[in-house]
Amino acid sequence: MWALATPVATVLAALVPVIFNHRFYFYDDTQIGAYPIWREIGEMLRSGQWPLFSAEGWQAGNYAAEGQWGIFSPVTLGIGLASTYFSNALIFSTLAKVALLATASIGIYLVSRSLGARRPWAFVAGVASTLAGFTVYLDSPSWVTGLMVWAFLPFVWWSLRRMCYQQKSPLPVLISGYLLVTVGYVHGTIMMVLLFVAVLVELLVRRDWKSLVKTVSSGALLGLVALAVYLPGVLTLRTTARTQVVANTNFLTVDLTGLAGSALPSNLPQVASWWWGPFAPAPLTYIAWFLPLFALVNFRQLRRLVPGIASIPVFLILSLMLTLAPSDLGPLRTPVRLMPYVCLAVIVLLCVALSLARVTPISRTRWLSTAAVFAASVYLGWTGKPELWTVSARMVLIMAVGFALTAVALRRIRTKAKADGVVAAVLVATSLMLAFPQHHYFPNPPVQDFQLPADTSKYSTQLSGSKGQAVVVGTPSALDSSIWAESLVGNMWYLNPGSVHNLYSPIQNAAYSKDLCIGSRGETCKELSTKLFEIDPTSGKPIADLLRVDTVQIVRDAGDPAGAELDKAVPPSGWSVASRTANTVMWTRDVPLGSVGAPVYASEGTDIEPVSNSSTEVRFKVNEVPASGGKVTLGRIAWPGYTADGATIADPLRGYLLTVEVGPEMAGKTVTVSFQPPGWTLEIASLAAALLLGAAWSLVHALRGRRRPAGSGSGAAPAASAPSPASALRSGEAEREYALRKEDK
């Protein structure tokens, strides 16, 4: 009952935000990043293509280096395929997010049971963890890849303990770890590494050397998977716009003061970000309202049980340290995004502690301590934004009723099992009740809603009448939502039949983005409309020609409400006005160049003839080349990973356009320039090795299990094992077993 109730209650809680804001799960990066990527992946899969690389995507086309395209992820590929069968992006995104939250709750229930939590308390942990502030207000509405990896991590934790303490197959560890790593969200992989460290510490404390070897072995196999997923990004890093320094700009950082009021659902921490002012407009550091129940834990008894549950405090400490880190750790940014892991560890620790080491009977002093902790957490949460006292007061009233009902249940109900069941129901019901005022007062995620249409059929008319590849000049998101009838932003261009430069890229190519003053979500400075037609001094050609641009759409600047600047926009020679409105003007080339990625310039004395052109390969015949050699520039970004057969890779034109050097001996011969993600052979080999070795290990384990005599297998956990999720509680130490039996009596 408790296992089934966990995802059901989680789904009900996940639907509360939709009551107050039906677009809640379709904000910011989900809207202009993740959803259109899913859709593009799905369309490519349905047409028989695998998403690896796109020259037409320019700085957003290096899918392997981006990582978050999840090109090896069954989950991402499956979501992408499923998205093509829905015509409403909002509904599909909401269903996907709610399903991920329900999945996370099941994993948290399982790992809580494995760590010793009784069923009702595992239910509380599973539901409450999905209601933590950062998960609710940032990962769920926007950063869906963060939500995905967080949802898979509890399964890794549970399956690790199952493998180590119940002598079960390593297959669940390898599958859950593979699903997490291949999402391509590096913060999730880092947290999985920290989880392995926490489990290894637990095994060292227990001196369980056999399980330690198995844990290291499974970690090594998942490390091979991580090598395949992240090595392209690491080898591409030098050309990206990612910072590579350790610094603290205070952007999206949190401190201990912000965590102090984490038991108050209306606590607004001091977290600086895109919003105005020093305070977050949503309770990002809220963990759980019932945290004051830590006062009911017998810490002396809990300390004796630590060898069997050491992974919880170790993982909590490591997560907290990384969450409190500076804003920039090389290419890793905004460590506050790891807050969900802190919440997970805190809530699981509390629920396990109340299962294994709750004081009995609960004295008046303990209740006074609980009340004091409650009052202190409320006070610390209120001091951040005292003007919200009426909001906090309403929530405190609900919390006080919840604590009162909890106290009555623990005092009046003598049977521990029944008391736990009633208390669990009270805690979760109160959490659900608190979600209503929380979302009433804070209905919007603290990120941008671009107000893009949910109906995917409304993305086909933008750039109507365009030719070839287009560049959109300006910042469409700075205008009102009517602009989406004419232009788009970020990856929403994937839903449009046109081909544009202006796609979303979290890594960006540094030289390209600087030259075109183009940001990570594809919006540009207004000066680009003239910059495109400047003459490149080396090639003597306009930049637009080098980029194979045949259409330019100029969007009205937000600082020009009357459109005076737009009216003055006149196309250069060889271009014509294709359309003009109050918000946009579109120019098209009279004679389109087309063929993005093909050769765009050959140095003096070098004559070439194009042979073929695709995203990953270009072939051209060299008709003539001077004795000193010549250079050929291609209309594509010079990402690491390009090789040339019959030529050598030279310094890129303008710092980013792929250029090859051709020797005089190549006259009359054909040059082939091809792309593979850097380190591709090693990456595929490491992935294949991980899969084959993991399958072999799992098969050997299964065969040994069949040969094992009856009664000698893992059906009954040994005295030194950790608790099984399916059993009431099988203690690891005799002392722990004695304490549980005494408590049950």
Side-chain angles (χ1 to χ4, degrees):
M1 182 187 69
W2 293 109
L4 292 173
T6 303
V8 172
T10 299
V11 169
L12 292 176
L15 294 177
V16 172
V18 181
I19 297 173
F20 300 94
N21 179 355
H22 74 282
R23 293 175 64 90
F24 189 85
Y25 292 108
F26 191 56
Y27 265 68
D28 198 48
D29 279 9
T30 291
Q31 198 172 132
I32 67 165
Y35 174 78
I37 283 178
W38 294 340
R39 191 66 180 241
E40 179 71 2
I41 288 173
E43 297 293 350
M44 292 179 74
L45 291 176
R46 291 182 68 172
S47 65
Q49 302 177 60
W50 183 47
L52 179 65
F53 184 80
S54 170
E56 288 188 357
W58 290 90
Q59 71 171 356
N62 198 343
Y63 305 149
E66 294 271 5
Q68 293 180 53
W69 274 72
I71 60 176
F72 298 117
S73 170
V75 175
T76 303
L77 298 177
I79 290 175
L81 196 58
S83 70
T84 62
Y85 295 96
F86 284 76
S87 60
N88 190 296
L90 171 60
I91 292 176
F92 182 81
S93 297
T94 300
L95 291 174
K97 307 287 187 67
V98 173
L100 287 170
L101 289 168
T103 300
S105 72
I106 296 170
I108 297 166
Y109 177 91
L110 291 173
V111 75
S112 299
R113 291 285 295 131
S114 172
L115 288 159
R118 299 181 184 275
R119 289 184 177 89
W121 288 105
F123 163 69
V124 172
V127 178
S129 297
T130 65
L131 291 170
F134 200 94
T135 296
V136 170
Y137 280 97
L138 275 180
D139 278 356
S140 294
S142 177
W143 296 342
V144 65
T145 45
L147 180 63
M148 291 168 73
V149 293
W150 178 79
F152 296 141
L153 184 113
F155 290 95
V156 179
W157 198 348
W158 164 72
S159 55
L160 267 174
R161 293 181 60 83
R162 185 174 178 270
M163 177 184 70
C164 291
Y165 298 140
Q166 294 177 257
Q167 312 309 315
K168 297 292 187 181
S169 170
L171 190 59
V173 179
L174 301 176
I175 290 176
S176 56
Y178 180 89
L179 294 179
L180 188 156
V181 172
T182 54
V183 169
Y185 191 74
V186 69
H187 291 82
T189 302
I190 290 171
M191 297 313 295
M192 189 185 74
V193 172
L194 296 186
L195 175 63
F196 268 81
V197 171
V199 172
L200 288 172
V201 170
E202 181 176 293
L203 295 173
L204 286 170
V205 170
R206 297 170 59 87
R207 298 184 180 180
D208 188 346
W209 311 120
K210 183 178 179 181
S211 296
L212 189 144
V213 170
K214 290 194 291 185
T215 301
V216 171
S217 299
S218 59
L221 292 181
L222 293 175
L224 291 175
V225 177
L227 186 69
V229 173
Y230 296 110
L231 187 58
V234 172
L235 297 179
T236 306
L237 189 62
R238 61 184 173 82
T239 63
T240 70
R242 285 281 186 173
T243 59
Q244 299 185 44
V245 297
V246 176
N248 190 6
T249 62
N250 286 327
F251 183 83
L252 270 181
T253 57
V254 67
D255 53 25
L256 291 174
T257 305
L259 295 175
S262 57
L264 185 64
S266 58
N267 174 37
L268 302 184
Q270 294 189 50
V271 177
S273 188
W274 308 278
W275 45 78
W276 292 102
F279 291 92
L284 299 182
T285 56
Y286 168 64
I287 297 178
W289 70 274
F290 50 83
L291 291 184
L293 292 182
F294 266 114
L296 302 183
V297 176
N298 184 337
F299 286 97
R300 182 176 300 175
Q301 182 181 350
L302 184 65
R303 188 166 59 250
R304 292 198 296 268
L305 305 177
V306 160
I309 60 170
S311 57
I312 313 177
V314 174
F315 183 65
L316 172 58
I317 292 169
L318 294 175
S319 301
L320 187 59
M321 289 175 62
L322 201 51
T323 302
L324 296 173
S327 61
D328 295 276
L329 294 173
L332 303 177
R333 301 178 298 184
T334 59
V336 72
R337 70 182 72 205
L338 303 178
M339 186 68 196
Y341 300 93
V342 175
C343 299
L344 169 65
V346 168
I347 292 172
V348 169
L349 177 62
L350 175 57
C351 291
V352 170
L354 290 173
S355 292
L356 301 178
R358 189 170 74 232
V359 292
T360 52
I362 303 173
S363 64
R364 180 177 298 178
T365 302
R366 287 284 182 170
W367 283 120
L368 289 175
S369 299
T370 304
V373 174
F374 171 51
S377 64
V378 168
Y379 175 76
L380 292 171
W382 167 78
T383 54
K385 292 284 284 184
E387 59 268 32
L388 295 178
W389 70 270
T390 55
V391 179
S392 299
R394 289 174 172 84
M395 293 187 176
V396 168
L397 180 60
I398 297 173
M399 294 164 67
V401 172
F403 281 122
L405 293 174
T406 300
V408 170
L410 292 176
R411 292 189 63 181
R412 297 291 178 86
I413 302 175
R414 299 299 179 185
T415 307
K416 183 175 178 59
K418 291 183 179 179
D420 282 346
V422 173
V423 170
V426 168
L427 297 184
V428 170
T430 306
S431 299
L432 289 173
M433 289 181 63
L434 286 167
F436 283 89
Q438 186 183 63
H439 287 281
H440 172 74
Y441 291 109
F442 311 108
N444 302 321
V447 285
Q448 189 169 357
D449 178 8
F450 295 89
Q451 291 294 322
L452 284 153
D455 185 352
T456 58
S457 66
K458 295 185 178 180
Y459 292 92
S460 59
T461 58
Q462 296 84 357
L463 289 185
S464 180
S466 64
K467 300 176 182 178
Q469 191 163 57
V471 166
V472 177
V473 177
T475 310
S477 65
L479 306 180
D480 62 64
S481 59
S482 64
I483 189 63
W484 306 136
E486 303 175 47
S487 191
L488 293 172
V489 64
N491 286 341
M492 275 303 186
W493 283 112
Y494 282 125
L495 276 65
N496 185 272
S499 173
V500 301
H501 280 250
N502 308 75
L503 297 169
Y504 178 87
S505 172
I507 61 171
Q508 299 181 263
N509 181 277
Y512 170 89
S513 60
K514 182 179 180 180
D515 196 30
L516 302 189
C517 61
I518 187 169
S520 61
R521 61 191 191 190
E523 295 180 309
T524 78
C525 62
K526 61 182 180 180
E527 290 78 14
L528 182 59
S529 60
T530 55
K531 177 71 175 286
L532 283 171
F533 300 99
E534 291 180 1
I535 302 300
D536 172 67
T538 300
S539 64
K541 294 187 174 186
I543 297 174
D545 290 13
L546 297 175
L547 298 177
R548 277 300 196 258
V549 173
D550 289 329
T551 298
V552 176
Q553 183 190 61
I554 305 173
V555 178
R556 177 176 62 82
D557 187 70
D560 180 31
E565 293 182 7
L566 199 63
D567 291 339
K568 296 177 183 177
V570 178
S573 176
W575 293 69
S576 304
V577 176
S579 66
R580 184 183 291 275
T581 69
N583 287 323
T584 64
V585 60
M586 186 170 74
W587 302 338
T588 55
R589 196 186 292 268
D590 295 339
V591 181
L593 298 176
S595 193
V596 174
V600 294
Y601 162 70
S603 60
E604 186 176 355
T606 303
D607 180 62
I608 63 169
E609 180 183 339
V611 175
S612 64
N613 177 33
S614 68
S615 274
T616 57
E617 184 181 274
V618 179
R619 300 178 71 235
F620 59 87
K621 182 179 180 182
V622 180
N623 295 326
E624 186 179 350
V625 61
S628 59
K631 291 184 177 181
V632 178
T633 296
L634 312 179
R636 53 179 66 213
I637 288 181
W639 293 112
Y642 274 105
T643 58
D645 182 13
T648 55
I649 304 296
D651 291 336
L653 182 66
R654 302 190 68 81
Y656 60 90
L657 285 170
L658 181 62
T659 301
V660 296
E661 192 165 350
V662 182
E665 72 281 0
M666 289 303 295
K669 298 180 181 179
T670 299
V671 171
T672 300
V673 181
S674 56
F675 176 85
Q676 279 188 344
W680 189 240
T681 302
L682 174 62
E683 291 147 16
I684 293 300
S686 67
L687 184 63
L691 295 175
L692 291 174
L693 291 173
W697 183 10
S698 302
L699 180 60
V700 169
H701 182 278
L703 292 175
R704 284 182 177 177
R706 287 185 177 182
R707 294 172 183 172
R708 190 176 293 125
S712 66
S714 58
S721 69
S724 164
S727 63
L729 275 175
R730 294 188 207 142
S731 175
E733 291 78 16
E735 200 171 311
R736 176 176 174 182
E737 181 71 28
Y738 172 75
L740 289 171
R741 288 178 179 175
K742 182 179 178 182
E743 196 172 350
D744 282 340
K745 288 180 180 178

